[in-house]
Amino acid sequence: MPKSKKLFEHAKRVIPSGVNSPVRHFEPYPFFVKRSNGSHIWDVDGKKFIDLCNGYGALLLGHRRREIISAVSKQLNIGTLYCTPTEQEVELSDMIKGNFPSIDMVRLVNSGGEATMTAIRLARGFTGKRKIVKFEGCYHGAHDSVLVKAGSGSAHHGISVSKGGLDAVSKQTLVAKYNDFKDIEDVLAKSDDIACVIVEPVMANMGLITPEKNFLKHLRKITKQHNVLLIFDEVVTGFRVSPGGAQEHFGVQPDITTLAKALGNGFAIAAVGGKKHIMEQLAPGGMVYQASTFAGNPISVCAALASVKTMNRLKTKLYPKLEKYSTILSNGIGDIATDYGIAHSVNSFSSMLQIFFSAKPVTNYDTCMNADTKKFKKLFSGLIRNGVFIAPSQFEVVFLSNAIQRDDLGIILDSYSAALREVKD
């Protein structure tokens, strides 16, 4: 990839480490993308890849979905940023509320990290308490309160607590073990100053880890018992798992929900939603301050409106198709690894999957961290050579989009077979 190599050498001179997000970096250098369409991307050297990263889950409908591109194109002709309210903001908030019964009111923001930061501040402001609880391996953005035993790029690069973060802030964060009923009970019993528990209902930043039976329902029960707010970080799972996210799938309603990624299908938009008496604490009506110049900008809002309308219209076919394809791929990848005699565990849920090079099931942070990341790196490199792009980290997830076709599955499995052969050797 000579053009990508040359661009990366230039990038390193003007961008820290040559990338604008740590998870985009891989050895010897990342390829640079020139264009995309449907389920494919093309790099600057002309190589074509099936995209199984899909914007780390954002592109549920695939690249350049026509309804979204059309809506954004129309809006571009009449304006890009007003910094005053628009009718579309109200319509989008109504639609989000309609999809998520736990949500009475919505505040639009720009990114998942901004959404979780706002949700935590809102929980502290509403309860008057200082501490929060998160789970090992859950990733909620790159801000001080949650960069403690976090997943995603933080885990990939071995940064448990970021330099530059304030100890006074991180000390207010208690950490529990995901899928461990007793541990979360013990943590909540430690203090009466806990404002909230924040959780990815399905962990998608530590590879893919699903909740054990009744874990989320138990979490809802004990947070109520301790008078602690429950925040579902559905930045990844919102709209991707079902039209109403993981909370619809598992039948558990949190107090506050954060949404992003699939909400905008490639455009920067996120949301914080929750019960009216909590959400009304946000300024200017309340004393919990949050503000953003680009929040609710018409371009992103139009994209989100088109995305949600399309997902709702296609839901009876969209979600069963992606779950079926995910099952086919996860079973196929597992069978190939077994045939090669490679110790492995494959997790799959809805439109997401991941292979771990571990003989033991991966159910939490510890079991994930014991997986062989060197083998995963070989797998990733082999897939790139064979025209399949996944996120370059064991601690990320393979995401499917609606643009994927049945014929793509065979190509993907052939690519995994060639890559796993290299892992075996």
Side-chain angles (χ1 to χ4, degrees):
M1 302 178 184
K3 291 183 180 179
S4 283
K5 182 178 181 180
K6 184 177 180 180
L7 279 169
F8 186 59
E9 291 302 319
H10 186 178
K12 287 192 294 183
R13 296 195 294 269
V14 292
I15 301 171
S17 298
V19 292
N20 280 309
S21 182
V23 291
R24 297 174 193 172
H25 183 274
F26 53 86
E27 298 294 342
Y29 52 86
F31 63 87
F32 283 61
V33 174
K34 187 171 185 178
R35 66 185 180 95
S36 65
N37 191 55
S39 60
H40 294 86
I41 54 177
W42 288 260
D43 72 9
V44 291
D45 288 282
K47 186 174 176 64
K48 179 182 178 181
F49 300 87
I50 295 177
D51 186 7
L52 296 183
C53 178
N54 281 304
Y56 291 88
L59 296 162
L60 179 65
L61 298 173
H63 293 276
R64 297 175 61 209
R65 179 76 190 192
R66 55 182 174 80
E67 295 93 336
I68 300 166
I69 298 302
S70 176
V72 170
S73 296
K74 289 178 181 177
Q75 182 60 47
L76 284 170
N77 287 324
I78 59 175
T80 59
L81 183 65
Y82 308 137
C83 289
T84 60
T86 65
E87 183 178 354
Q88 289 92 335
E89 292 174 71
V90 181
E91 183 183 0
L92 178 59
S93 297
D94 270 333
M95 290 187 70
I96 292 172
K97 178 181 174 182
N99 276 44
F100 290 79
S102 70
I103 293 177
D104 295 330
M105 303 184 83
V106 177
R107 173 62 64 89
L108 297 178
V109 292
N110 298 290
S111 70
E114 187 181 354
T116 58
M117 182 175 65
T118 299
I120 290 169
R121 182 180 298 163
L122 178 59
R124 283 174 165 149
F126 177 77
T127 62
K129 300 175 184 178
R130 294 174 297 174
K131 297 186 182 299
I132 71 166
V133 177
K134 72 174 295 286
F135 291 89
E136 290 179 334
C138 282
Y139 180 75
H140 306 292
H143 49 99
D144 288 1
S145 291
V146 290
L147 272 182
V148 181
K149 281 202 171 182
S152 188
S154 177
H156 181 69
H157 293 283
I159 302 172
S160 178
V161 178
S162 172
K163 284 187 176 181
L166 296 174
D167 290 342
V169 175
S170 59
K171 284 180 179 178
Q172 300 299 327
T173 301
L174 307 178
V175 181
K177 295 181 183 296
Y178 188 81
N179 276 333
D180 190 322
F181 291 73
K182 185 177 184 304
D183 190 62
I184 182 60
E185 289 177 351
D186 291 344
V187 171
L188 287 175
K190 287 181 180 178
S191 173
D192 58 3
D193 195 26
I194 298 172
C196 64
V197 172
I198 184 168
V199 65
E200 289 181 86
V202 178
M203 287 179 66
N205 288 284
M206 203 68 200
L208 179 68
I209 301 175
T210 57
E212 292 186 357
K213 185 178 180 180
N214 294 325
F215 177 70
L216 296 176
K217 289 182 178 180
H218 180 71
L219 190 57
R220 175 68 285 184
K221 179 181 177 181
I222 60 174
T223 49
K224 283 185 176 179
Q225 288 175 348
H226 286 269
N227 197 28
V228 170
L229 296 184
L230 177 60
I231 301 172
F232 269 14
D233 178 358
E234 296 229 43
V235 164
V236 173
T237 54
F239 299 103
R240 174 163 283 278
V241 169
S242 75
Q247 55 194 265
E248 176 186 336
H249 180 89
F250 293 105
V252 178
Q253 290 197 7
D255 299 296
I256 302 173
T257 299
T258 61
L259 302 167
K261 294 194 184 291
L263 173 62
N265 204 76
F267 287 80
I269 189 167
V272 181
K275 297 301 181 186
K276 182 179 179 181
H277 64 287
I278 299 173
M279 296 299 295
E280 285 183 333
Q281 302 304 309
L282 287 170
M287 295 300 291
V288 177
Y289 194 76
Q290 178 275 331
S292 174
T293 298
F294 287 93
N297 75 82
I299 301 299
S300 293
V301 169
C302 282
L305 275 171
S307 296
V308 178
K309 287 177 182 178
T310 303
M311 288 184 285
N312 284 344
R313 176 171 57 83
L314 298 177
K315 63 184 178 182
T316 57
K317 294 182 179 180
L318 170 66
Y319 297 101
K321 168 192 169 180
L322 292 181
E323 183 171 7
K324 179 181 178 181
Y325 284 8
S326 180
T327 300
I328 290 171
L329 288 176
S330 58
N331 288 343
I333 292 166
D335 288 344
I336 294 166
T338 298
D339 289 344
Y340 286 144
I342 302 170
H344 70 281
S345 177
V346 180
N347 287 353
S348 174
F349 183 79
S350 186
S351 57
M352 305 175 285
L353 62 126
Q354 187 58 284
I355 183 171
F356 302 88
F357 295 103
S358 170
K360 296 181 179 179
V362 176
T363 59
N364 56 28
Y365 177 87
D366 289 336
T367 50
C368 180
M369 293 299 287
N370 285 330
D372 191 330
T373 56
K374 290 182 179 179
K375 287 183 177 179
F376 186 89
K377 185 177 179 180
K378 290 183 71 174
L379 172 74
F380 170 78
S381 297
L383 289 173
I384 289 292
R385 282 192 293 275
N386 286 279
V388 171
F389 174 53
I390 65 172
S393 170
Q394 175 70 89
F395 307 117
E396 302 292 347
V397 172
V398 171
F399 292 102
L400 305 186
S401 80
N402 190 50
I404 195 171
Q405 301 299 313
R406 182 71 185 232
D407 290 347
D408 292 328
L409 303 185
I411 298 171
I412 293 167
L413 289 174
D414 286 345
S415 298
Y416 265 91
S417 181
L420 285 167
R421 191 180 302 117
E422 295 181 31
V423 172
K424 178 194 70 168
D425 296 338

